[in-house]
């Protein structure tokens, strides 16, 4: 069975960070929590930002991409909710300690 048939529900999240260091840290922290079972696949990748933003143009910005693929819509929702909770904790720590 092809991946698209087994995992028909998909979502991609993009999170922009002001620096590559912050993006790499976020990736390292967030990818530690794997998915339980084989109903959801979560993959991470980093890329430089290609869009202009309100941040200073002198800074090198990075984007963290997170791809979710799931066998059921419910499992995708649960995985996304859990991910956003973890991202929220990371961003609060980043704000507090940097």
């Amino acid at each position: 069975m092809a991946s698209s048939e087994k995992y028909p529900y998909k979502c991609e999240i993009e999170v922009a960070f002001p620096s590559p260091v912050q993006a790499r840290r976020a990736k390292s922290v967030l990818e530690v929590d794997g998915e339980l079972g084989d109903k959801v696949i979560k993959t991470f990748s980093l890329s430089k930002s290609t869009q202009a933003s309100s941040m200073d143009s002198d800074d090198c910005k990075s984007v963290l991409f997170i791809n979710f693929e799931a066998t059921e819509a419910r499992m995708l929702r649960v995985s996304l909710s859990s991910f956003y909770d973890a991202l929220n904790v990371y961003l609060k720590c980043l704000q507090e300690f940097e």
Side-chain angles (χ1 to χ4, degrees):
M1 185 181 292
S3 177
S4 62
E5 293 173 8
K6 185 173 180 184
Y7 299 97
Y9 301 95
K10 301 177 188 315
C11 181
E12 181 178 78
I13 299 172
E14 298 178 18
V15 183
F17 289 91
S19 76
V21 171
Q22 291 173 343
R24 281 194 304 272
R25 284 183 190 153
K27 181 180 181 289
S28 296
V29 167
L30 297 170
E31 71 183 350
V32 170
D33 294 328
E35 297 299 323
L36 298 175
D38 62 347
K39 292 187 176 190
V40 178
I41 297 173
K42 180 172 54 175
T43 56
F44 292 81
S45 62
L46 292 170
S47 177
K48 289 184 180 178
S49 179
T50 57
Q51 295 181 346
S53 69
S54 61
M55 294 185 254
D56 295 333
S57 60
D58 296 336
D59 291 297
C60 180
K61 295 164 224 32
S62 288
V63 178
L64 175 61
F65 293 93
I66 309 93
N67 288 308
F68 293 84
E69 296 180 51
T71 57
E72 304 169 18
R74 181 179 67 89
M75 294 304 296
L76 180 61
R77 182 189 56 78
V78 169
S79 185
L80 287 169
S81 178
S82 175
F83 172 78
Y84 276 120
D85 288 344
L87 177 63
N88 189 35
V89 169
Y90 172 75
L91 292 174
K92 285 181 179 181
C93 288
L94 183 69
Q95 185 178 21
E96 184 70 26
F97 296 112
E98 278 204 6

